[in-house]
Amino acid sequence: MRQWIDVCDVKDVPKDTFKIIQVKNKSIGLIWDMGSIVALQNYCPHEGAEICRGKVRPRVVVSETGKPKYHCEQRVIACPWHGWEFSITSGAPEFDARRPTLKLYKSKVFDGRVSILV
């Protein structure tokens, strides 16, 4: 049965890197993104790397002129082992829709505390 678990104080969640926590034998990364807290499993579906130890950066999109530009409202996480990139908010792979997605968990903030549904 899934349940909401209190995991940390909201002030402990960073904006540019992941806070890695252990909940029910799962490694989960927490990060602020666009005004809310994102929680995702710290596991790359490619070969099992700790994805939350990878680099977080703005998503790169192709402009009308065909040149790359940063999309600052959307961020991705790059796997520290092989560089596979995934959307932080959806878990979707950036370059090949056939690749598996990251597992995300619902999160909420109440009275300054972060809880996730696991």
Side-chain angles (χ1 to χ4, degrees):
M1 172 191 264
R2 295 174 41 167
Q3 62 184 4
W4 287 98
I5 306 284
D6 178 277
V7 293
C8 69
D9 192 282
V10 72
K11 293 180 237 165
D12 294 334
V13 180
K15 291 183 170 71
D16 296 321
T17 60
F18 280 89
K19 174 180 180 63
I20 299 172
I21 59 171
Q22 298 295 317
V23 179
K24 291 188 169 186
N25 295 326
K26 296 176 188 346
S27 180
I28 297 173
L30 303 172
I31 193 170
W32 278 102
D33 191 66
M34 299 303 294
S36 62
I37 293 177
V38 173
L40 58 88
Q41 188 170 5
N42 186 21
Y43 180 85
C44 180
H46 176 225
E47 288 195 9
E50 289 186 82
I51 190 82
C52 296
R53 297 203 186 278
K55 292 190 187 237
V56 176
R57 64 163 183 77
R59 183 174 183 236
V60 175
V61 294
V62 178
S63 71
E64 300 79 32
T65 62
K67 294 184 179 180
K69 68 177 183 175
Y70 287 110
H71 193 293
C72 295
E73 289 82 36
Q74 298 176 5
R75 295 190 299 167
V76 297
I77 179 80
C79 176
W81 286 2
H82 300 109
W84 282 28
E85 294 179 341
F86 299 87
S87 165
I88 287 178
T89 53
S90 71
E94 279 296 291
F95 298 108
D96 187 347
R98 296 171 297 180
R99 291 180 175 176
T101 61
L102 298 178
K103 178 174 176 62
L104 278 80
Y105 297 91
K106 290 184 180 182
S107 66
K108 66 181 180 180
V109 177
F110 182 74
D111 281 345
R113 300 288 300 171
V114 178
S115 295
I116 59 173
L117 185 63
V118 289

